[in-house]
Amino acid sequence: MPDMRLLIIEDDRDAANYLVKAFRESGHSADHAADGLAGYERACEGDYDVLIVDRMLPRMDGLTVIGGLRQQKIDTPVLILSALGQVDDRVKGLRAGGDDYLAKPYAFSELLARVEVLARRRGSSSGETTHYRVGDLELDRLAHKLTRAGKEIVLQPREFRLLEYLMKHAGQVVTRTMLLENVWDYHFDPQTNVIDVHISRLRSKIDKGFDVPLLHTIRGAGYMVRDGSR
Amino acid sequence: MTALGKLIRTTAFKLSLAYLLISALGAGAVMGWVAWNVKKLVDEQIASTVEAEIAGLSEQYARGGIRALVDVVERRARQPGASLYLVTTFAGETIAGNVADLPAGVLQRPGVVETSYQRQGDTEARRRALARIFVLPGRFRLLVGRDLEDRETLNGVMLRALTTSLLWLTIIGTAGGIFVASRVLRRVDAMNASAQKIMAGDLAGRLPVTGSNDELDRLAQNLNSMLERISELMNGLREVSDNIAHDLKTPLTRLRNRAEEALRSASSQDDYRATLERMIDESDNLIRIFNALLMIARAEAGTDRQAMRAFDVSTVVTDLAELYEPAAEDAGAQLSVSAGRDLIIMGNRELVGQALANLIDNALKYGAQSDLPLLPQGANVLPKRMDVQVSARQVGNAVEISVADRGPGIAVADRERVIGRFVRLEGSRSRPGSGLGLSLASAVAQLHHGELRLEDNAPGLRVVIALPAMINATYVPAASPVEATRRLPHDDATPRNAS
């Protein structure tokens, strides 16, 4: 992922400093605005890849900031950070124009993975991809067909969707919760390793018997499909 | 406020006053009606007496003319207690009779008249009379009347009776009001005193009940049972928060010990890293517990009801079964699903999904067959496969989601207790878990006006979440966000219409 320009609108100075530092260490640049109004102004002026917006902010609350930006036709992807993690809060946040929602407290790896997906989406929003290719693994969405090194691999429908999501974000870390949200459409915490087992089944189907593994486990973060030979 | 002021302000006293006023009006009306009727009766009697006199006199007049009339009048006027008579000429000179003076002009108008008069030889004040006046041939005038003294006397008696009775009514009524009010007031004061004592902190205090079983007693009894219920709830709450504090202390202590241990004995960067990673895992676990607690609290408070939508439970059941199937297989379990179709309920799909996930999770964790010893981790020999059955069906007006295993089950005595927060039965403590799974499932069932039941699967445990089915469901399945993602490939990540 090439470095991103981020704006963090967050009134908790410690949390904001931590985020700015962590994003810089991951090779991105991050600005910080300490209240809603300042954040709104900076978001209007600057060219950011992703905005990270806290919900409860002084001077202008997070959802108002997002609503205002959307009205100004500024469609920079927004990730909402909030201490309110319940389902309807998430729905409210997304309705207000947010693109993703993460409840506090969160793991930085989760935030980073989501922000990277949002930034990438912005870069490649033109053209419909029906064909994904990672190394010698090829997935055809329309024909619902998967081949590796020319050999067809048969997947269950859900496994196909899982792989499709991973390949769409090839080269990016995809977390377990992102998979649960986007492949299964549930937003809760499954508590056990249910996703891991699905991944290991998928892995045994696409990587078994090949020298170069394509589906990687990123420790402490999630999974990534990547052509390891490059 | 003085004692009297307080008394006057009481409802009982005000009510007594109101009753008093109404009784007084009633009594007045009755007396007035009687008086009016008596007057009418007396008037009629007088009138008929006068009529009788006139009948006699006109007979005399018909027989002997004016002379005979004058004779009779002279004779009758002299009798004691006589009626009033007067015969005059056309010029108004008195020919015969016992009336000395009349107001001017009375004789000019024939007919019945009520007038004042003075009797002959009477120097007292004028009196009132009811009289009838005739004009005879030759323009003689005849007046026949009766004194109204009797009627006036009667009226006086009536009036006195009325005032006296009203006076007594007022005195007795006021006294009664004060008596009743002070009696009621004494009891209300006692209740107030008890309430103040309870407010001041004597939470075991109760309102006095006299045993008369009147409305004040019943009020006190109801308030007492309310207090009882509140104190039960408060005890429950205290127990819950005690438990929460205790159960969160354990992982926090572990976290702290880890850090301390690393500071004391870690010798390399790798050691520190390993410890830190384990500490992050521990904190994630804590966060998970907090999230579950918050979710339970919100579900119990029922604040999420406005976010409810119609959805098909069978989809949730098949989704979740499919999600857990590989994990179940890994755990050596056979997960089978049977879901009816079109099981529409009004609810929160995420929460129902979470509740079901908890139940499946429990079944996989604790549903191993009881006669088989727990295998050491990593053992290659799988025990006889354990069965977990997930099903959804319509039973009457309810949609029942059930998860059944063939494990040791839960004793009847423990079934209610195990739903409580952080309750973990003996034998399960050695395995990971927070003891919140069933609490959340139960809270979710309650949020949907349903219930969570623990049943005997003979052998094993069957947990049933029964939720009210949506009646007359006109349910159009909305395109699920995942489907939408598939159709619109560049609108990936989290869909905006995730409701």
Side-chain angles (χ1 to χ4, degrees), chain A residues 70 86-89 91 94-95 97-100 105 114 117-118 121 124-125 127-129 132 141 144 158 161 164-165 168-169 180-195 197-198 201 219, chain B residues 277 287-288 291 294-295 298 303-304 306-307 309 315-316 319-320 322-327 329-330 348-351 353-354 357-358 361 365 480-483 485-487 489-496 498-499:
Chain A
R70 294 297 182 247
Q86 306 294 330
V87 175
D88 55 335
D89 299 322
V91 171
L94 298 180
R95 264 197 208 131
D99 299 271
D100 200 356
R114 285 168 183 266
V117 164
L118 286 180
R121 178 170 115 193
S124 67
S125 60
E128 187 171 328
T129 319
Y132 298 108
R141 287 184 59 236
H144 219 266
R158 190 74 72 176
R161 231 186 278 176
E164 183 189 323
Y165 186 79
K168 188 192 285 175
H169 301 107
L180 188 65
E181 282 177 22
N182 292 288
V183 179
W184 278 271
D185 189 29
Y186 285 97
H187 297 85
F188 57 79
D189 182 358
Q191 309 224 354
T192 42
N193 58 346
V194 283
I195 302 288
V197 190
H198 279 275
R201 275 196 178 184
R219 230 175 131 227
Chain B
E277 275 170 1
I287 289 166
R288 204 169 283 144
N291 281 342
L294 282 174
M295 214 183 238
R298 289 206 28 173
T303 47
D304 284 333
Q306 66 270 32
R309 302 275 181 281
T315 320
V316 175
D319 277 356
L320 265 292
E322 189 245 16
L323 178 65
Y324 272 87
E325 194 271 326
E329 199 181 292
D330 259 26
N348 186 322
R349 172 178 161 279
E350 293 280 345
L351 285 178
Q354 170 85 73
N358 288 355
D361 208 52
K365 266 189 210 149
S480 98
V482 171
E483 302 288 326
T485 310
R486 285 209 294 165
R487 281 198 301 274
H490 37 262
D491 185 28
D492 61 356
T494 310
R496 280 190 202 170
S499 49

Side-chain angles (χ1 to χ4, degrees), chain B residues 5-306:
Chain B
K6 197 168 147 191
L7 192 70
I8 287 170
R9 255 169 261 241
T10 61
T11 310
F13 189 76
K14 285 179 191 154
L15 275 178
S16 316
L17 274 190
Y19 281 131
L20 184 62
L21 191 69
I22 291 168
S23 327
L25 283 176
V30 168
M31 298 288 273
W33 188 74
V34 169
W36 183 75
N37 271 297
V38 167
K39 176 178 181 288
K40 208 171 105 184
L41 195 71
V42 171
D43 281 356
E44 272 168 15
Q45 256 173 13
I46 290 172
S48 66
T49 312
V50 170
E51 286 303 319
E53 297 268 9
I54 286 168
L57 289 177
S58 61
E59 205 177 302
Q60 292 298 328
Y61 179 72
R63 209 176 290 160
I66 189 76
R67 200 158 287 280
L69 179 68
V70 168
D71 278 352
V72 176
V73 165
E74 294 267 276
R75 201 166 55 242
R76 286 197 186 170
R78 276 198 298 275
Q79 284 169 6
S83 299
L84 301 173
Y85 305 96
L86 184 64
V87 182
T88 62
T89 63
F90 67 92
E93 294 158 22
T94 303
I95 301 172
N98 50 9
V99 177
D101 186 32
L102 279 171
V106 168
L107 286 176
Q108 303 310 314
R109 279 168 288 141
V112 178
V113 69
E114 195 179 320
T115 176
S116 60
Y117 78 99
Q118 204 164 25
R119 206 181 264 263
Q120 266 182 353
D122 205 346
T123 51
E124 279 172 39
R126 305 172 76 88
R127 303 164 65 143
R128 296 197 68 75
L130 190 73
R132 191 156 175 192
I133 294 154
F134 293 91
V135 180
L136 303 174
R139 292 171 70 194
F140 292 101
R141 283 164 202 275
L142 167 65
L143 177 146
V144 181
R146 281 297 291 185
D147 188 88
L148 286 178
E149 192 184 5
D150 287 354
R151 198 184 81 180
E152 303 294 322
T153 315
L154 209 56
N155 273 349
V157 169
M158 284 285 182
L159 196 66
R160 268 202 307 283
L162 182 64
T163 46
T164 320
S165 65
L166 281 184
L167 189 68
W168 278 110
L169 195 68
T170 310
I171 291 168
I172 293 171
T174 311
I178 290 174
F179 175 70
V180 171
S182 67
R183 247 182 78 94
V184 171
L185 197 60
R186 209 177 312 137
R187 290 180 56 193
V188 171
D189 276 346
M191 287 167 84
N192 272 330
S194 312
Q196 261 152 9
K197 246 168 48 193
I198 295 169
M199 279 190 285
D202 174 23
L203 295 178
R206 293 293 176 264
L207 302 180
V209 176
T210 57
S212 61
N213 205 26
D214 60 1
E215 59 272 34
L216 277 179
D217 247 20
R218 268 175 286 139
L219 178 66
Q221 278 163 0
N222 280 336
L223 288 175
N224 282 345
S225 15
M226 188 176 85
L227 288 169
E228 204 64 49
R229 178 94 183 99
I230 290 172
S231 81
E232 261 170 41
L233 286 175
M234 274 188 31
N235 283 338
L237 201 64
R238 191 160 48 226
E239 222 166 88
V240 166
S241 44
D242 283 357
N243 283 348
I244 290 177
H246 179 262
D247 281 271
L248 291 176
K249 225 164 75 182
T250 318
L252 276 172
T253 311
R254 213 157 46 217
L255 194 67
R256 195 179 181 286
N257 289 348
R258 288 249 156 89
E260 225 168 26
E261 168 83 24
L263 281 180
R264 203 171 54 231
S265 62
S267 52
S268 68
Q269 197 145 21
D270 282 353
D271 286 354
Y272 280 117
R273 173 168 287 277
T275 307
L276 284 175
E277 275 170 1
R278 270 166 62 197
M279 285 176 67
I280 287 178
D281 283 350
E282 289 273 3
S283 355
D284 282 349
N285 194 34
L286 270 169
I287 289 166
R288 204 169 283 144
I289 292 176
F290 271 113
N291 281 342
L293 281 173
L294 282 174
M295 214 183 238
I296 293 170
R298 289 206 28 173
E300 280 179 351
T303 47
D304 284 333
R305 278 208 184 103
Q306 66 270 32

